[in-house]
Amino acid sequence: MNRIQKFFTKIKGLLVHRFFQVLLFLILGLFAYGLMFSNVKPEKIQVELFKPAEQTIRSTKTVEDTYKTEQEKEEISKQVADVYTLKKEYAKNKVDLISSIFDSAIEVNKETDPERDKKEEGKEDKKEPIKTDAQKVSILKEKLTDEVNKNIEDSVFLALVQADEDELEIAKDSTITAVNNVMSSRIAASDVENAKKKVVEELGYMSINSDMKKASNSLARTAIIQNVFFDKDKTEEQRRKAIESVEPIRILQGQIIVEENQLVDRDVYRQLELAGFLSTESTIYPYIGLLLFILLTFGAFYYFFYFSISKRDNKYNQLLIFSLVFILSMATMKTVSVLADLKNSNLEYIFPGAMAAMLIKILLNDKLAVAMIILLGSYGTIIFNGDTPGNLDFSMGLYIIFGGLAAIIILSRPNFKSKVLIAGLLMSLINMAFVFSLIFIMDGHYTKMEYLYYAAAAIGSGVGSAVLTMGLLPFFEAGFGILSSMKLIELSNPNHPLLRKILIEAPGTYHHSVMVANLAESACEAIGSNGLLARVGSYYHDIGKTKRPHFFIENQMNEENPHDRLQPETSRDIIIAHAVDGGEMLRSHKFPKEIVDIAEQHHGTTLLKFFYHKAKKQDDTTVEACYRYPGPRAKMKEVAVIGIADSVEAAVRSMQHPTPEKIEELVSFIIQDRIQDGQFDECDITMRELSIVKHSLCESLNGIFHSRIEYPEPDKLGQKVKE
């Protein structure tokens, strides 16, 4: 075990105690707080009125510009025209008045008619006849109100009493019609004189004497008055509605208030004051907000690690790996952010955000990979805010999360864990598509060079994530004892000393191991497990047989089987020992734990049926448990599959004439026997996966033991050739 591995082993030993677990999360939280501190720290802005700004200033929050809002309201209010209301009843009132005046005149004329006086002679109490016009005018005035009499000239009354009834009827109808026509239209105070002229024009076509016409004109002019008046209430209501429709003018978060070297006039100065840049009071709210955010996120992760992961060793291993990847990713994120600010460019899109997701996916699992990328995306919105406190770059947060999730999905495909670079190239295309989608949504106007820059940054992010993942994987694998694909490929080299040992000392076992490797690899890949681990583990699963190779039938080349001369107990000890000896040999050569487990667990606690029944015949008191392998049972899917393949290969090889039907029946029997014997109880392999394994094994075995052409004997073959 190297020094790095020893160091992490010591740390894992400390993490057994709750105190050190909490301490680790506190350290991670303080580390994140320190990196993001400058991104929330309020800036001290140095600006002076009527002097150029030393820097571009963006608003850190959205605030309402009340001054401009009020200005806008006043402007809108002024644009609302005064509301005038038409008094329609005025026309009716004036028509009724004119009609009453003419009717009164007609009554007076009837009452003072001389012919009426003659008809009434001889009657008692007859009235004195009225002969003079002055008397008639006086009677007419008595029938009208003082206000009407005051507004009408005496000449008009005189003309009315002098006219006969027919003239009065004609004048009445014409005057009423003209007044009604004119008063039905809108007449403002300034339009009264024009309206009076208009009514006189309409009366100009009457066929009556001039005095009566003048009287009608005078009455009509008197009747024409203003009928449109300013409506204060309606005007105020219209202005109120217009003011309410005005949207408040706001200074938006992230909006540029003043550009660098722009003159700070009174309006800009007022906006800076509204946004809080001119305040001399210090605030601690940003720091409290950041602290709460970090406490919430790390509190959730602590709960997950403490309550969701049951296996203690695995828990501490995952916690350490997660912490290291987080620290590395956050440091990289901050570095890219600082460089982007220094160069004043969108360099942040080159950040290899998917690196963390790829590392966690390969080293740990999908759930933690998703959690990591969500955490980094959340913190990325703060770190990539351009050092403008209060701003959150949500587009960058989405970019990190989307790229990380894409990496997890790509690596979830079979065999992609060993093809990280290809996954990185695919991610580059996805990143580029996502960046352009953000650009097009925001409707930014960019040059061709800027588009190329964004494309290059997206490609750099994807490829960079893959390259960094490939570079960092060996360090994590070495430090935490994680078995890598590179290590497996190295162990599969036929020139490895232990493989050479099997080949030379136990050639039959070597051939058997290769056959098992082919079967197990195909079956594991079919169920989505690690096929390469299954192949390499199969190569070494019977390494223990090299201690006593001739006691195993595959190495007995036309030799007498020594077990025929041995007691069942002795044979049992020799056969069972190969699993234990194999594990010890692999440990002594410092093989990975997974390979050692395969050697020790591939037989689980199965029963040595042949020797058990042989012993049972000799002694009925023989205990079955004494003839079982010590185990343990299979803990991994790969071990379970190798155990099945090991038994199947040996059984099929012993068959005289294997057919597809016989092979399928044998494979089904072996799998069912192991299920009933409880050999998969400690493994997470499912019945569906076992069905897939059965199908894969049958296909592979049918390909190996297929029917062959029966060639003629050599003498007959030679005779046919001569012919």
Side-chain angles (χ1 to χ4, degrees), residues 114-155:
E115 295 296 327
R116 182 180 68 84
D117 293 340
K118 291 178 180 179
K119 292 176 182 178
E120 292 180 350
E121 285 181 3
K123 293 183 179 181
E124 294 181 359
D125 300 329
K126 63 178 181 179
K127 296 179 181 180
E128 288 291 328
I130 299 173
K131 302 293 185 179
T132 64
D133 292 335
Q135 290 176 324
K136 293 180 179 180
V137 168
S138 177
I139 293 171
L140 178 59
K141 285 185 176 182
E142 288 178 0
K143 292 180 178 290
L144 301 175
T145 63
D146 293 339
E147 186 178 355
V148 173
N149 294 333
K150 184 174 61 177
N151 293 329
I152 298 175
E153 298 176 356
D154 289 342
S155 60

Side-chain angles (χ1 to χ4, degrees), residues 337-373:
S337 171
V338 171
L339 291 175
D341 292 337
L342 290 175
K343 294 187 177 182
N344 195 23
S345 64
N346 290 321
L347 187 66
E348 60 265 20
Y349 284 106
I350 205 171
F351 169 64
M355 172 195 70
M358 296 172 83
L359 283 172
I360 299 298
K361 161 72 178 177
I362 294 171
L363 296 172
L364 303 180
N365 56 54
D366 290 356
K367 289 182 180 179
L368 287 175
V370 172
M372 171 64 79
I373 207 63

Side-chain angles (χ1 to χ4, degrees), residues 42-55:
E43 290 182 289
K44 297 295 183 181
I45 304 298
Q46 299 294 331
V47 290
E48 293 185 36
L49 189 61
F50 301 124
K51 287 189 177 182
E54 297 179 357
Q55 64 186 92

Side-chain angles (χ1 to χ4, degrees), residues 390-567:
N391 284 347
L392 297 175
D393 192 344
F394 290 106
S395 61
M396 193 60 198
L398 286 175
Y399 176 74
I400 295 171
I401 292 174
F402 191 88
L405 293 177
I408 295 169
I409 293 170
I410 292 171
L411 290 178
S412 295
R413 296 181 58 190
N415 299 325
F416 255 78
K417 284 188 178 181
S418 58
K419 299 177 182 178
V420 176
L421 186 58
I422 297 175
L425 293 175
L426 287 175
M427 278 179 48
S428 298
L429 298 177
I430 295 172
N431 284 346
M432 189 162 52
F434 188 75
V435 168
F436 282 122
S437 71
L438 290 177
I439 292 173
F440 295 152
I441 289 172
M442 293 186 290
D443 195 21
H445 300 285
Y446 300 98
T447 63
K448 291 182 178 179
M449 287 302 298
E450 286 175 321
Y451 281 119
L452 288 175
Y453 173 82
Y454 282 116
I459 293 172
S461 175
V463 175
S465 296
V467 171
L468 287 172
T469 300
M470 293 169 63
L472 291 170
L473 270 176
F475 293 99
F476 281 97
E477 290 166 346
F480 292 92
I482 299 173
L483 185 58
S484 67
S485 299
M486 298 296 292
K487 182 66 175 177
L488 287 172
I489 292 171
E490 178 186 340
L491 294 176
S492 67
N493 189 339
N495 291 319
H496 191 282
L498 286 187
L499 285 182
R500 295 287 296 175
K501 180 180 178 66
I502 300 172
L503 177 61
I504 295 171
E505 298 179 8
T509 298
Y510 180 84
H511 179 265
H512 162 72
S513 298
V514 172
M515 295 292 289
V516 172
N518 293 331
L519 295 173
E521 182 181 34
S522 299
C524 282
E525 289 181 352
I527 62 173
S529 294
N530 193 335
L532 183 58
L533 173 60
R535 169 171 285 278
V536 178
S538 298
Y539 287 159
Y540 295 95
H541 79 288
D542 278 342
I543 185 67
K545 291 181 179 181
T546 57
K547 281 197 172 184
R548 305 175 188 86
H550 298 292
F551 283 88
F552 298 91
I553 193 167
E554 67 266 21
N555 298 315
Q556 297 168 5
M557 306 300 181
N558 299 320
E559 298 177 4
E560 181 185 0
N561 190 343
H563 291 289
D564 295 339
R565 297 178 282 101
L566 296 176
Q567 290 297 316

Side-chain angles (χ1 to χ4, degrees), residues 174-175 178 196-210 213-214 216-217 220:
S174 299
T175 305
K196 289 182 177 183
K197 291 178 182 179
K198 185 176 180 181
V199 76
V200 171
E201 290 175 0
E202 289 196 17
L203 293 172
Y205 301 102
M206 287 191 303
S207 299
I208 54 177
N209 64 65
S210 59
K213 183 178 288 187
K214 288 179 181 178
S216 295
N217 289 342

